[in-house]
Structures are given as structure tokens and as C-alpha cells.
Amino acid sequence: MRFAPAAAALSLALALTASVSWSADRAPAPHAAALLAQGDAALRHGDVQGAIDAYESALAIDPGYAPVLLKLAEAARKDGLQGKAIGYYREALDRDPRNFAAIAGEGEALVERGALEKARGNLAKLESLCGQSCPETAALTAAIAAGPKPRILTADATMPESKSPQAN
């Protein structure tokens, strides 16, 4: 009888761990699903921060639903936060190492950061898992071929002052 509370706690912990690891096969919680739809609509309308807020709220409501991580990563990439997007993709890959969308998305974010060799590693992994005919492999191949986008200076960016020698 002394071990009953400990056994119950251990059973609960194992049940929660199991439910988190197999979350891709289930639907999100109803309120989280509504927030995901709200985030999708915000992203379509160009409100990236609104989408991120909705996706983060959905993740807080249903932390075991891994596909929301892919949506957060997509929104972070659109906001120019490739490092944050890579973190979300890696968290999704921790939950499911064979998630083709996460592997491809991480590779595309790596290309956007200029890390082409690491992106090629993701491409090799995708090719070994799903072959060259899967859409994720094709998307990552195209992103690598296009290369990183050049960074554009805005009118607000200032150039460093040049030091010219003064004539004496």
C-alpha cells in the first residue's frame, strides 16, 4: 500500500508521455483548432504577428499537438526569424524524427540563413526516407537551387561614415 501513490503518479506520467509522442495521429483540442484556423487566416492576410500569437495560444492549450509547431515555424520564417523557425522544426523532429515537412522546412530555413551545406544534409536525409519523388524533397531541392535571397538594405539603414583624410 505504501507504493500505491507512487505507482499512480508513474502511471500518469507514462500516459502523458505516450499521448505526447503519438499526437500527430489525433485532432487538436477544439479551442486549439479554432486558434489554428484564426492563425491561418491571419497569415493569409499578411498579419504574421497575429498568426504567431494565435499559434502560440493553440500550443499553450494543446502542447501535445505537434503540427502547430510547423505552423509556428512557417510564421516565424515569414517574419524573417529563421533561427526561431529552425528551433520549432527541431522540436517537431524531436517528437517525430520522420516528419518530412519538418525536415524540408528546416532545410529551407537553413537555405534562407545561407547554411547550404546543412540544408544539403537535410536533403540527403529526405531522399533516404521518402525518395526523390516526394513533394518535400522537390521543394527543398528547388530552395537549395535558388540559394539564399540577397539581403536588401532599406532606406532606414545607414552606411558607416567613411573617414577621409583631411587635406592640410
Side-chain angles (χ1 to χ4, degrees):
M1 287 300 202
R2 296 186 302 182
F3 300 110
L10 182 60
S11 297
L12 180 62
L14 290 174
L16 287 174
T17 304
S19 68
V20 168
S21 64
W22 294 104
S23 64
D25 296 339
R26 66 171 179 82
H31 191 62
L35 286 166
L36 289 172
Q38 179 183 341
D40 291 344
L43 203 56
R44 278 193 306 275
H45 288 70
D47 181 12
V48 177
Q49 191 56 51
I52 289 172
D53 291 344
Y55 294 149
E56 285 177 345
S57 297
L59 186 63
I61 289 170
D62 194 353
Y65 188 64
V68 72
L69 294 169
L70 299 178
K71 292 183 178 285
L72 272 166
E74 177 187 353
R77 283 179 55 202
K78 288 190 181 210
D79 203 23
L81 302 171
Q82 281 72 24
K84 191 170 189 174
I86 290 168
Y88 287 129
Y89 287 127
R90 289 188 178 158
E91 188 175 341
L93 287 169
D94 285 344
R95 295 178 184 198
D96 179 12
R98 295 179 54 93
N99 186 325
F100 301 153
I103 297 168
E106 180 188 28
E108 290 174 21
L110 287 167
V111 168
E112 291 165 3
R113 289 191 79 175
L116 294 176
E117 285 306 311
K118 289 183 179 182
R120 286 186 186 102
N122 281 36
L123 179 61
K125 185 175 183 179
L126 266 178
E127 288 175 342
S128 70
L129 290 173
C130 71
Q132 294 183 344
S133 62
C134 80
E136 291 86 357
T137 302
L140 183 53
T141 301
I144 291 172
K149 295 178 183 173
R151 296 181 186 207
I152 300 171
L153 288 178
T154 63
D156 295 336
T158 59
M159 298 298 292
E161 292 183 23
S162 62
K163 304 265 181 177
S164 59
Q166 293 179 346
N168 291 339

